[in-house]
């Protein structure tokens, strides 16, 4: 995978695992902020108020540096870590996986718990649509109106996404382009100003 690409899920995924009458319901969501994560966790805690545990893990950002795993009262590293492990082995980011456990009356032991949370999370990912996205950089360029044709020619050739544009005495265009092509776009636009 290129350094300016990352994998995430496009659609929600649901997974399920059962072991010795304990039920594990897993839900995978595309998220981009900690606030979204907090809102979703509040919804799950309210909806499954009668469940014994609501464990989760998340990973944020194309660099995959912001993450967290939570065992919600299960023995240390038996729930959040295996969920996070599934996110990592699938190289996903901008994802939250919540696994809700209904206790079935039989203890599963630490290895049983690790397997159950891992399998439930894996099933949720399997039922979500995974896609590769590009890390983009936003470039805002101001220019005099007579340069319009040259600017639009560069836009046509390099194909950045146009976020906004204003045409006045001074024109401004806001573009989003794949990070690896951002420097080339900036230099081509800046050259126009000096021609």
């Amino acid at each position: 995978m290129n350094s300016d690409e990352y994998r995430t899920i496009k659609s929600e995924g649901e997974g399920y695992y059962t072991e010795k009458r304990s039920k594990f319901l897993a839900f995978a969501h595309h998220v981009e902020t900690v606030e979204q994560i907090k809102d979703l966790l509040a919804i799950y805690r309210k909806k499954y108020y009668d469940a014994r545990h609501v464990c989760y893990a998340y990973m944020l950002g194309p660099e995959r540096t912001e993450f967290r795993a939570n065992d919600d009262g299960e023995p240390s590293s038996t729930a959040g870590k295996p969920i996070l492990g599934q996110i990592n082995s699938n190289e996903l980011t901008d994802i939250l996986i919540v696994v809700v456990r209904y206790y079935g009356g039989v203890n599963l032991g630490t290895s049983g718990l690790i397997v159950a949370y891992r399998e439930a999370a894996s099933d949720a990912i399997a039922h979500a649509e995974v896609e590769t996205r590009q890390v983009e950089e936003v470039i805002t360029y101001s220019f005099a109106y007579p340069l319009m044709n040259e600017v639009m020619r560069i836009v046509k050739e390099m194909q950045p996404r146009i976020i906004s544009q204003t045409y006045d005495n001074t024109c401004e265009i806001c573009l989003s382009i794949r990070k690896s092509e951002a420097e080339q776009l900036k230099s081509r636009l800046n050259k126009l100003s000096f021609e």
Side-chain angles (χ1 to χ4, degrees):
M1 207 161 37
N2 296 334
S3 62
D4 61 353
E5 289 181 339
Y6 62 97
R7 288 162 46 95
T8 186
I9 57 169
K10 192 159 101 175
S11 60
E12 289 177 18
E14 290 191 12
Y16 179 77
Y17 184 79
T18 178
E19 180 70 35
K20 296 180 179 157
R21 296 198 303 276
S22 273
K23 290 182 181 70
F24 297 84
L25 314 175
F27 306 92
H29 291 271
H30 176 80
V31 288
E32 291 175 11
T33 65
V34 172
E35 285 65 43
Q36 283 178 300
I37 292 166
K38 286 178 181 162
D39 293 347
L40 283 165
L41 289 171
I43 291 166
Y44 280 109
R45 289 203 172 104
K46 195 172 172 183
K47 186 174 178 181
Y48 297 100
Y49 66 92
D50 56 341
R52 176 72 69 93
H53 305 280
V54 178
C55 306
Y56 67 89
Y58 67 78
M59 176 76 67
L60 291 176
E63 291 82 32
R64 304 178 76 245
T65 50
E66 191 178 344
F67 59 89
R68 180 146 186 233
N70 185 304
D71 296 319
D72 190 38
E74 290 282 31
S76 179
S77 300
T78 58
K81 229 174 166 179
I83 299 170
L84 186 62
Q86 285 304 303
I87 293 172
N88 282 327
S89 64
N90 286 280
E91 294 179 357
L92 296 170
T93 191
D94 289 349
I95 184 172
L96 164 70
I97 298 179
V98 179
V99 180
V100 176
R101 179 186 183 194
Y102 282 97
Y103 183 62
V106 181
N107 286 338
L108 303 181
T110 53
S111 60
L113 286 171
I114 290 169
V115 167
Y117 280 102
R118 184 181 65 219
E119 292 305 314
S122 175
D123 196 38
I125 292 169
H127 287 94
E129 190 181 342
V130 174
E131 69 175 0
T132 299
R133 293 190 182 179
Q134 268 120 32
V135 180
E136 294 187 334
E137 193 171 316
V138 175
I139 296 164
T140 303
Y141 179 67
S142 300
F143 57 97
Y145 190 80
L147 289 175
M148 174 67 70
N149 288 342
E150 284 83 9
V151 170
M152 294 322 281
R153 191 186 72 237
I154 292 172
V155 168
K156 191 174 179 217
E157 287 168 10
M158 292 197 67
Q159 306 263 304
R161 203 159 36 88
I162 298 174
I163 298 171
S164 67
Q165 43 196 345
T166 349
Y167 306 114
D168 213 352
N169 293 343
T170 304
C171 303
E172 188 175 270
I173 191 164
C174 187
L175 305 166
S176 182
I177 192 163
R178 194 177 177 141
K179 200 170 188 165
S180 59
E181 297 170 6
E183 283 311 311
Q184 184 188 354
L185 179 62
K186 277 191 250 182
S187 103
R188 284 185 68 182
L189 289 171
N190 290 335
K191 266 187 199 152
L192 293 177
S193 310
F194 301 109
E195 281 177 0

